[in-house]
Structure formats: C-alpha cells, structure tokens
C-alpha cells in the first residue's frame, strides 16, 4: 500500500461479501453506539484553524469529514429502517462528494454535526439492538452495486465507516497529515471563515456579558463622535454609566423619585404638592425599616388624627382609633382572659341598659369572674357534675313520680 493509500485508508478498505455471525453483528452495533463519544474526544484536540486542514493532499478537511459523517449516517439509518419495514426496498443513492462541497459541508459548525450524531446514534443503536434474527435476514437493494445488501453486512459497513473517518480526524489532530495538506487556498483568500474564531481569540480571556455590553456602548459612542454627529440621547450616558459604580435598588429608586420631584417642581407650578411627596419618598428610602405592628400602629394613629381634625360631627371615632393605636402596644391576653373580659362587659352592659332584669347582671358578672379564676375540670368531672345536677333537679321538681 502506497503512502497516499495509507492516508486515504488508514484502517484498510472494507471487504464486501463476508459472512457475519450474531456476535460479530453485536460488536459492530457497539462500535456504532460508541462512535459519537470517541469523535468528541478527538475533536477536543483540534484547534479552530486545524479544522480546515485536510488529512491528505486533495482530500477533505477535518471539518468536511465530520459534516460528511452526519450526512452519511442519516442516510444509513433511513436505509436500515426501510429494509426492516419494507420488502427489499430500492434505496436512493446520493452524491456524497457534492454534498461535502455545499456551504454547510465546507463551513458548517462541527459542534452542530456532533450534536446531531449524538442524538442520531442513540436512536440508531436502540433500533439495531431491537432487531431479531429474522430481521437480520432482511436487506435493501443497492442500484449502484446491483445487489442486495443484507443488514449484517450494512451494519459492518457503517461500523468500518466510523473507524475509517475517526482515523482521518486523528491524523489531523496528531499532526500526521501530509505536509502538502494545508489550509485550502479559498480559506486563505477569504480569511477567517464565518463562525470560526481566530487563534488569538481562542487564547483571549472570556469577558462577562456586562463587560461586552459596556465595550459595545463605548465603541458606538466613539464612532458617533468620530463622525461628528450629535450622540443620540442616552448613548453617551450609557457609555459613562459603564464605568460608574453600581447602585443598589433602593438608591436607584430614591434617585428616580428625586429626579421626578425636581422635574415636576420646575416644569409645573400648578402642582407644588408633588415635590414634597417625592422628597418624602426619597427620604423614606434611607429611613430604617419598621415592623408590621409599628406600621399598623402609625397608620391607625394617623387615621385617628385625620378623622378627629376633619369631622366635628363624629367625635366618637377619634377615641376609638386612639384606643386601637394604644392596644397595639398593650400586652397580648390569653383566650380565656379575652372571653372573661367579654362576658363581664356584656354583663355590665345588660345590667345598665335594662332595669327590668337586674338579677342577670350580678349573676353573669359573678359567673364570668368565677369561671376565669376557677381551675379547669376534666371531661369526666364535667359529665359527673352535669349528671348530679340533673338528678337533683328531677328529684326536687317532680313529687308525682317518686318511683322514677
């Protein structure tokens, strides 16, 4: 084998007409399944420039090889599915050399092709693993070869195809490609291909999104100044703000309120009340935060003061609001104390309002006061007391039925 043939067929040529056992087919399926990961490892060794180096004189570049593999394996997957689902289908050949010369073949991203191959080989491997021995006896008719290609041979062909092109990319990655296999003249004339970073940019430190935006704004502002045009409103400020220290959200809001207040105060004399309100808001942004209880107490006190000064017809409301504000600072009572207070209040109210039932107020007040201080009884003690009371009541009330 000549030196050129070794570069062209680094793993040797594929032999048609061989017989493949079930074990052979299983090994070939595993080769197809593992291929995307092995290709990814080799591609990591390549620089952006070396992707456009051919593995042999007059041969495809490493980029074209990777993009060709994607084209070829899509067709192979479809051919094998047709063979299983149709009776010996006639496949459609394609001009692989012309496919490799299209724009996406020559300049397409290898990352995109690698992602496509990763997804495709997962589906392809799943499909091949599911084939029965009966399925493996099926095949497709190749019109160029004028024979039927059975599935075991087709699987072996594409397992070889994986190794064949993997070796081509490895030749470029390891620097073993022929010295004549350089960057195509077309690529040299046109400079850096679209979508490919330069060698310098590969080593440059990555900038954050904020730094990139700041640079872009500064560049636009400088461009406008060079042209002698008046900068568009906001762009100069944006370029200046790129170097300014970052403010917190509270500071930004305070500044915005103060600016609005100043603008409304200078522009309109009909609404002088807005400026103090904005200034008050700006001042509040720097004030210490109050708890919820303090905010509610302040609000109640403000409402009480407002209702007391605005309406003289309803003087009773102010004490109520003041009492509510006072209660916000009062110690919290337990549920039993609150109920006892409520009962005592109701008893006092009913005693003062109705003279027709004077006995109820002392009784209710006494019961409420007594129950508040009385020890709590268990459920059994409460039931026992209730039974004893019912027995005493029935014995004293009815003399007509002593037997009961």
């Amino acid at each position: 084998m000549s030196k050129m043939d070794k570069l062209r067929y680094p793993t040797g040529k594929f032999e048609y007409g061989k017989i493949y056992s079930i074990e052979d087919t299983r090994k070939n399926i595993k080769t197809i399944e593992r291929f995307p990961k092995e290709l990814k490892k080799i591609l990591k060794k390549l620089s952006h420039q070396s992707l456009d180096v051919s593995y042999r004189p007059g041969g495809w570049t490493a980029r074209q090889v990777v993009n060709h593999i994607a084209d070829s394996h899509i067709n192979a997957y479809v051919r094998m599915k047709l063979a299983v689902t149709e009776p010996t289908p006639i496949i459609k050949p394609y001009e692989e050399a012309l496919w490799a010369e299209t724009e996406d073949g020559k300049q397409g991203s290898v990352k995109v092709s690698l992602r496509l191959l990763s997804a495709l080989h997962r589906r392809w491997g799943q499909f091949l693993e599911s084939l029965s021995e009966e399925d493996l006896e099926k095949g497709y008719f190749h019109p160029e070869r004028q024979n039927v290609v059975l599935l075991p041979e087709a699987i072996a062909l594409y397992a070889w195809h994986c190794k064949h092109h993997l070796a081509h990319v490895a030749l470029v990655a390891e620097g073993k490609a022929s010295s004549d296999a350089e960057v195509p003249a077309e690529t040299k004339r046109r400079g850096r291909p679209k979508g490919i970073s330069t060698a310098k940019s590969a080593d440059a430190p990555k900038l954050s999104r904020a730094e990139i935006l700041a640079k872009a704004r500064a560049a636009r502002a400088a461009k406008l100044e060079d042209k002698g045009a008046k900068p568009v409103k906001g762009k100069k400020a944006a370029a200046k703000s790129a170097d300014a220290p970052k403010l917190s959200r509270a500071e930004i809001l305070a500044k915005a309120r103060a600016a609005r207040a100043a603008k409304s105060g200078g522009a309109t004399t009909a609404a002088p009340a807005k400026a103090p309100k904005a200034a008050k808001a700006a001042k509040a942004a720097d004030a210490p935060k109050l708890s919820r209880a303090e905010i509610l107490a302040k609000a109640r006190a403000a409402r009480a003061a407002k209702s007391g000064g605005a309406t003289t017809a309803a003087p009773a409301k102010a004490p109520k609001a003041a009492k509510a504000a006072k209660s916000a600072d009062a110690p919290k009572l337990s549920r039993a104390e609150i109920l006892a207070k409520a009962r005592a209040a109701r008893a006092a109210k009913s005693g003062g309002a109705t003279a027709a039932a004077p006995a109820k107020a002392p009784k209710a007040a006494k019961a409420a006061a007594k129950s508040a201080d009385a020890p709590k009884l268990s459920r059994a003690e409460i039931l026992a007391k209730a039974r004893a009371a019912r027995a005493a009541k029935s014995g004293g009330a009815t003399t007509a039925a002593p037997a009961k």
Side-chain angles (χ1 to χ4, degrees), residues 11-344:
T11 61
K13 292 184 179 181
F14 181 73
E15 295 179 24
Y16 289 93
K18 288 177 70 176
I19 303 299
Y20 297 93
S21 66
I22 295 293
E23 285 302 317
D24 293 334
T25 301
R26 283 174 183 164
K27 285 178 184 178
N28 289 330
I29 291 170
K30 292 296 179 187
T31 300
I32 291 170
E33 288 175 333
R34 287 195 304 265
F35 173 70
K37 288 183 180 178
E38 291 175 356
L39 180 61
K40 187 177 181 181
K41 284 179 187 177
I42 294 176
L43 286 174
K44 282 182 179 179
K45 298 176 185 178
L46 290 170
S47 66
H48 289 292
Q49 283 185 329
S50 58
L51 282 171
D52 295 297
V53 173
S54 57
Y55 66 93
R56 64 178 175 87
W60 289 336
T61 63
R63 184 186 301 278
Q64 283 178 298
V65 169
V66 175
N67 292 334
H68 156 74
I69 296 166
D71 294 339
S72 174
H73 291 191
I74 289 169
N75 278 281
Y77 175 58
V78 172
R79 289 173 182 181
M80 291 185 190
K81 290 205 86 170
L82 288 171
V84 173
T85 56
E86 296 178 17
T88 318
I90 302 170
I91 62 161
K92 171 71 173 69
Y94 71 101
E95 296 292 338
E96 60 179 33
L98 295 178
W99 280 42
E101 291 300 320
T102 58
E103 189 65 21
D104 65 315
K106 288 195 296 184
Q107 306 296 347
S109 169
V110 294
K111 288 183 179 178
V112 173
S113 289
L114 187 60
R115 283 198 291 270
L116 190 154
L117 284 165
S118 297
L120 174 65
H121 278 245
R122 284 186 70 182
R123 283 287 303 273
W124 195 5
Q126 187 181 5
F127 166 68
L128 295 176
E129 292 280 3
S130 69
L131 297 180
S132 63
E133 290 186 23
E134 187 181 347
D135 290 329
L136 292 171
E137 292 174 4
K138 297 175 181 178
Y140 53 81
F141 181 79
H142 201 301
E144 286 182 354
R145 297 187 61 82
Q146 287 294 305
N147 68 344
V148 174
V149 180
L150 296 177
L151 280 178
E153 186 175 45
I155 293 166
L157 171 63
Y158 284 96
W160 169 86
H161 193 258
C162 291
K163 295 174 185 176
H164 172 66
H165 286 306
L166 203 62
H168 285 158
V169 180
L171 285 172
V172 178
E174 294 165 9
K176 293 179 181 178
S178 173
S179 58
D180 298 328
E182 295 176 353
V183 178
E186 186 185 355
T187 305
K188 286 180 181 177
R189 283 197 304 272
R190 293 191 304 177
R192 180 171 63 90
K194 187 179 179 182
I196 302 169
S197 303
T198 60
K200 188 177 177 182
S201 67
D203 300 325
K206 287 187 179 179
L207 300 175
S208 66
R209 188 172 179 272
E211 289 170 331
I212 292 166
L213 289 171
K215 277 199 170 188
R217 293 188 193 105
R220 284 198 297 270
K223 192 175 179 181
L224 287 168
E225 286 175 6
D226 290 340
K227 286 183 178 179
K230 190 177 179 181
V232 182
K233 187 180 178 182
K235 293 209 172 180
K236 193 174 179 183
K240 189 178 178 183
S241 67
D243 301 323
K246 287 187 179 180
L247 301 175
S248 66
R249 189 172 178 272
E251 290 170 331
I252 292 165
L253 289 172
K255 277 198 171 188
R257 293 189 193 104
R260 283 200 299 272
K263 189 177 179 181
S264 61
T268 58
T269 54
K274 283 185 180 179
K277 188 176 179 181
K280 190 177 178 182
K283 189 178 177 183
D286 300 323
K289 288 186 178 179
L290 301 175
S291 66
R292 189 171 178 274
E294 290 171 331
I295 292 165
L296 289 171
K298 277 198 171 189
R300 293 190 193 103
R303 283 200 299 272
K306 189 176 179 181
S307 61
T311 57
T312 54
K317 282 185 180 178
K320 188 176 180 181
K323 189 176 179 182
K326 189 178 178 183
S327 67
D329 301 323
K332 288 187 178 180
L333 301 175
S334 65
R335 188 170 178 276
E337 290 172 330
I338 292 165
L339 289 171
K341 277 199 170 188
R343 291 190 194 102

